[in-house]
Amino acid sequence: VHELWDAETFDYDYCVLTLETDIVQSPTVQTVELATSAPTQGTTAQLTGWGKTSGTSSTLPYLLQYTIMDIVSWEVCKNLWEPAGHMLTDRMICASHPTASGCNGDSGGPLVVDGKLVVAQIAHAYIAISPRYNNGRIVGGTDAKADQAPFQVSIVLYTGWFDYLHICGGSLAGRRSVVTAAHCCDGYHASDLEARYDGLDFVTLKTINKVTKIDIHEGFNSQTHDWDYCVLTLRDDVVKSPTVQTIELATSVPLTGSAAHLTGWGRIPVTSAKALLQYTPMVIVSRQQCNEIWEPACQTVTERMICASNPSAGGCSGDVGNPLVADGRLVGILSWYGKDCPANTVEWPNLYSDVANQWQWLDDRIAK
């Protein structure tokens, strides 16, 4: 593994495996040469792999898949990904196709131009990245204490080949349910997901509970993040203890200026040695004030959203679905946030799905 590999940013994403025996070349087995220069914009490339053939599929294809890709300029790619919170480095290149791409299980697969693998130390690294898996965790938070969020859940995606990835947060509710954001669930099968909880360190969470059912709000709009509600039903009942508790739903909207708090792990690589739950106090912001801030940025704060802020802390990618709690009840589900996850969320408040607004819909789907 490259000594500068960064699991948070995917920078220096290189690894060489040494095999037990020599490769015997034949008409169906060949090695590939490494590129010594980066391909130019518009160059035709090819991508192959056995990864998933759609974002909603839970199985891998038997036959190797192939697609043509076009190299995208670094500047264009950077402009596309920076608003989503992902920073491109000099060790990355981008490729695109209007109807095809890599998916889960394709990471590490070869991007080939003119018969050469376009990855080498003096070229760039092609990486498969998705807005769902952006880097970042609670900005400006502190390590949480055991009694601050015993209902906190990490929602983990099985990506194939025994690989798991934290994608969102959530809250334990009822007998065996998790309340989270719809865009944490959209496009997945229940068998793709599991809930992990009971502890502060993500790496050593004691309980893994499989998801058996996904309920996404029928009004969910993936473009505006309106109606951003989801309930996951778990396989096993939640066993309560001093470190595991469920949380009650708020049935009324918290008043402007009310104290609240946000917890979460953000984006945590499963290979991390340690990743402690983060905590930050927040203050509820009026919907009117929040709309005045966000409307000039072409974002509408609807009746199903509430806002919260802190002059030096807020949620970031990987924190979506995390609980906003006031007076011991779940009042919000983190839904979206400002570009590049600004620490000053007074200037750009975090947006949460308003639990009280859809209390009945959530309660009807939570296992009692």
Side-chain angles (χ1 to χ4, degrees):
V1 177
H2 199 290
E3 57 274 11
L4 297 179
W5 153 240
D6 189 327
E8 291 295 306
T9 65
F10 295 107
D11 201 5
Y12 290 94
D13 196 6
Y14 306 90
C15 178
V16 175
L17 303 177
T18 300
L19 306 180
E20 184 178 46
T21 58
D22 290 352
I23 296 168
V24 179
Q25 300 195 52
S26 70
T28 56
V29 178
Q30 296 287 323
T31 57
V32 66
E33 297 293 323
L34 304 183
T36 56
S37 61
T40 57
Q41 178 182 358
T43 301
T44 299
Q46 66 179 46
L47 174 66
T48 51
W50 281 285
K52 291 168 65 173
T53 54
S54 76
T56 57
S57 172
S58 60
T59 59
L60 301 175
Y62 290 104
L63 296 177
L64 184 67
Q65 301 293 294
Y66 168 96
T67 185
I68 295 295
M69 307 290 283
D70 291 321
I71 301 298
V72 179
S73 78
W74 191 88
E75 290 78 11
V76 169
C77 196
K78 179 174 179 286
N79 290 337
L80 289 170
W81 280 103
E82 275 196 347
H86 195 103
M87 303 300 293
L88 267 67
T89 74
D90 289 340
R91 286 151 299 280
M92 302 174 188
I93 59 173
C94 301
S96 69
H97 186 283
T99 59
S101 72
C103 194
N104 300 334
D106 286 316
S107 294
L111 186 70
V112 175
V113 173
D114 294 330
K116 293 193 175 186
L117 183 67
V118 288
V119 50
Q121 286 188 341
I122 59 172
H124 301 300
Y126 174 81
I127 60 171
I129 49 181
S130 163
R132 291 188 191 223
Y133 310 148
N134 293 334
N135 302 309
R137 51 187 81 168
I138 285 180
V139 178
T142 59
D143 293 345
K145 298 177 182 178
D147 62 349
Q148 287 179 322
F151 43 81
Q152 177 76 47
V153 166
S154 165
I155 298 172
V156 175
L157 169 69
Y158 175 66
T159 61
W161 299 98
F162 307 104
D163 187 20
Y164 293 85
L165 183 69
H166 165 91
I167 57 170
C168 282
S171 305
L172 292 171
R175 184 161 55 90
R176 50 187 175 95
S177 298
V178 172
V179 176
T180 187
H183 67 283
C184 293
C185 311
D186 191 33
Y188 295 125
H189 295 289
S191 58
D192 295 332
L193 304 174
E194 63 186 31
R196 297 187 182 188
Y197 51 90
D198 191 4
L200 298 175
D201 186 349
F202 172 82
V203 178
T204 58
L205 293 176
K206 298 180 181 68
T207 301
I208 298 176
N209 205 339
K210 298 290 186 180
V211 174
T212 60
K213 184 182 179 185
I214 297 174
D215 284 303
I216 296 175
H217 199 291
E218 55 275 10
F220 172 57
N221 186 318
S222 61
Q223 299 302 311
T224 64
H225 295 300
D226 201 5
W227 305 94
D228 197 6
Y229 305 90
C230 177
V231 175
L232 302 176
T233 302
L234 304 179
R235 180 186 61 191
D236 303 320
D237 287 356
V238 175
V239 179
K240 294 183 180 181
S241 72
T243 56
V244 177
Q245 295 291 321
T246 56
I247 189 169
E248 296 295 320
L249 306 182
T251 55
S252 60
V253 182
L255 298 175
T256 299
S258 297
H261 67 260
L262 171 68
T263 51
W265 283 284
R267 188 194 181 283
I268 304 295
V270 174
T271 54
S272 293
K274 192 174 185 181
L276 295 178
L277 185 68
Q278 298 294 290
Y279 167 96
T280 184
M282 305 291 285
V283 174
I284 302 299
V285 178
S286 74
R287 184 176 294 115
Q288 179 181 348
Q289 180 184 350
C290 199
N291 238 330
E292 289 172 357
I293 293 171
W294 279 104
E295 277 195 343
C298 300
Q299 300 287 343
T300 301
V301 180
T302 74
E303 292 180 358
R304 285 149 306 272
M305 302 174 189
I306 58 174
C307 301
S309 69
N310 181 310
S312 59
C316 194
S317 45
D319 286 315
V320 172
N322 276 333
L324 183 72
V325 176
D327 294 327
R329 289 178 177 262
L330 183 66
V331 297
I333 305 162
L334 185 60
S335 180
W336 47 285
Y337 41 81
K339 177 184 174 182
D340 298 330
C341 306
N344 185 349
T345 51
V346 173
E347 294 182 357
W348 295 101
N350 288 166
L351 274 292
Y352 300 79
S353 298
D354 183 353
V355 170
N357 185 280
Q358 290 299 301
W359 171 84
Q360 192 64 63
W361 184 93
L362 292 166
D363 188 64
D364 287 346
R365 287 154 182 81
I366 291 172
K368 306 298 192 295

CSV table of all heavy atoms in Angstrom, one decimal, residues 25-26 45 53 75 83 118 158 167 187 247 312 334 338:
chain,number,residue,atom,x,y,z
A,25,GLN,N,1.4,-16.6,-19.1
A,25,GLN,CA,0.7,-15.9,-20.2
A,25,GLN,C,0.2,-16.8,-21.3
A,25,GLN,O,0.8,-17.8,-21.6
A,25,GLN,CB,1.6,-14.8,-20.8
A,25,GLN,CG,2.0,-13.8,-19.7
A,25,GLN,CD,2.5,-12.5,-20.3
A,25,GLN,OE1,1.9,-11.9,-21.1
A,25,GLN,NE2,3.7,-12.1,-19.8
A,26,SER,N,-1.0,-16.5,-21.8
A,26,SER,CA,-1.6,-17.3,-22.9
A,26,SER,C,-2.5,-16.3,-23.7
A,26,SER,O,-2.6,-15.1,-23.3
A,26,SER,CB,-2.4,-18.4,-22.2
A,26,SER,OG,-3.6,-17.9,-21.6
A,45,ALA,N,-11.1,5.5,-23.6
A,45,ALA,CA,-10.5,4.5,-22.6
A,45,ALA,C,-11.5,3.4,-22.5
A,45,ALA,O,-12.6,3.5,-23.0
A,45,ALA,CB,-10.2,5.1,-21.3
A,53,THR,N,-24.1,-4.3,-11.6
A,53,THR,CA,-24.5,-3.7,-12.9
A,53,THR,C,-25.5,-2.6,-12.8
A,53,THR,O,-26.0,-2.0,-13.8
A,53,THR,CB,-25.1,-4.8,-13.8
A,53,THR,OG1,-26.1,-5.5,-13.1
A,53,THR,CG2,-23.9,-5.8,-14.2
A,75,GLU,N,-9.8,19.8,-14.7
A,75,GLU,CA,-10.5,21.1,-14.3
A,75,GLU,C,-12.0,20.9,-14.3
A,75,GLU,O,-12.7,21.3,-13.4
A,75,GLU,CB,-10.1,22.2,-15.2
A,75,GLU,CG,-8.6,22.7,-15.0
A,75,GLU,CD,-7.6,21.8,-15.7
A,75,GLU,OE1,-8.1,20.9,-16.5
A,75,GLU,OE2,-6.4,21.9,-15.5
A,83,PRO,N,-18.4,21.0,-5.4
A,83,PRO,CA,-19.6,21.3,-4.7
A,83,PRO,C,-20.2,20.2,-3.9
A,83,PRO,O,-20.9,20.4,-3.0
A,83,PRO,CB,-20.5,21.7,-5.9
A,83,PRO,CG,-19.6,22.1,-7.0
A,83,PRO,CD,-18.5,21.2,-6.9
A,118,VAL,N,-3.7,3.2,-17.3
A,118,VAL,CA,-3.3,4.6,-17.0
A,118,VAL,C,-3.3,4.9,-15.5
A,118,VAL,O,-4.0,5.7,-15.0
A,118,VAL,CB,-4.3,5.6,-17.7
A,118,VAL,CG1,-4.1,5.6,-19.2
A,118,VAL,CG2,-5.8,5.2,-17.5
A,158,TYR,N,-23.0,-3.0,2.4
A,158,TYR,CA,-22.2,-4.1,2.0
A,158,TYR,C,-21.9,-3.9,0.5
A,158,TYR,O,-22.8,-3.8,-0.4
A,158,TYR,CB,-22.9,-5.5,2.1
A,158,TYR,CG,-22.2,-6.6,1.5
A,158,TYR,CD1,-20.9,-7.0,2.1
A,158,TYR,CD2,-22.7,-7.3,0.4
A,158,TYR,CE1,-20.2,-8.1,1.5
A,158,TYR,CE2,-22.0,-8.4,-0.1
A,158,TYR,CZ,-20.8,-8.8,0.5
A,158,TYR,OH,-20.1,-9.8,-0.1
A,167,ILE,N,-22.2,4.7,5.4
A,167,ILE,CA,-22.7,5.6,4.5
A,167,ILE,C,-23.6,6.7,5.1
A,167,ILE,O,-23.6,7.8,4.6
A,167,ILE,CB,-23.6,5.0,3.4
A,167,ILE,CG1,-24.7,4.1,4.0
A,167,ILE,CG2,-22.7,4.1,2.5
A,167,ILE,CD1,-25.7,3.7,2.9
A,187,GLY,N,-32.4,3.5,-3.6
A,187,GLY,CA,-31.6,2.8,-4.5
A,187,GLY,C,-31.0,1.5,-4.0
A,187,GLY,O,-30.3,0.7,-4.7
A,247,ILE,N,-35.0,6.2,21.0
A,247,ILE,CA,-35.3,7.6,21.2
A,247,ILE,C,-36.8,7.8,20.8
A,247,ILE,O,-37.2,7.2,19.8
A,247,ILE,CB,-34.4,8.5,20.5
A,247,ILE,CG1,-34.6,10.0,20.9
A,247,ILE,CG2,-34.4,8.4,19.0
A,247,ILE,CD1,-33.5,11.0,20.5
A,312,SER,N,-19.3,27.5,15.1
A,312,SER,CA,-18.0,26.8,14.8
A,312,SER,C,-18.2,25.3,14.6
A,312,SER,O,-17.2,24.5,14.7
A,312,SER,CB,-17.0,27.0,16.0
A,312,SER,OG,-17.5,26.5,17.2
A,334,LEU,N,-30.5,14.8,9.9
A,334,LEU,CA,-29.7,15.6,9.0
A,334,LEU,C,-29.9,15.3,7.5
A,334,LEU,O,-29.8,14.1,7.2
A,334,LEU,CB,-28.2,15.5,9.4
A,334,LEU,CG,-27.2,16.4,8.6
A,334,LEU,CD1,-27.5,17.8,8.8
A,334,LEU,CD2,-25.8,16.1,9.0
A,338,GLY,N,-24.1,23.1,3.8
A,338,GLY,CA,-23.4,24.0,2.9
A,338,GLY,C,-22.3,23.4,2.1
A,338,GLY,O,-21.7,22.4,2.6
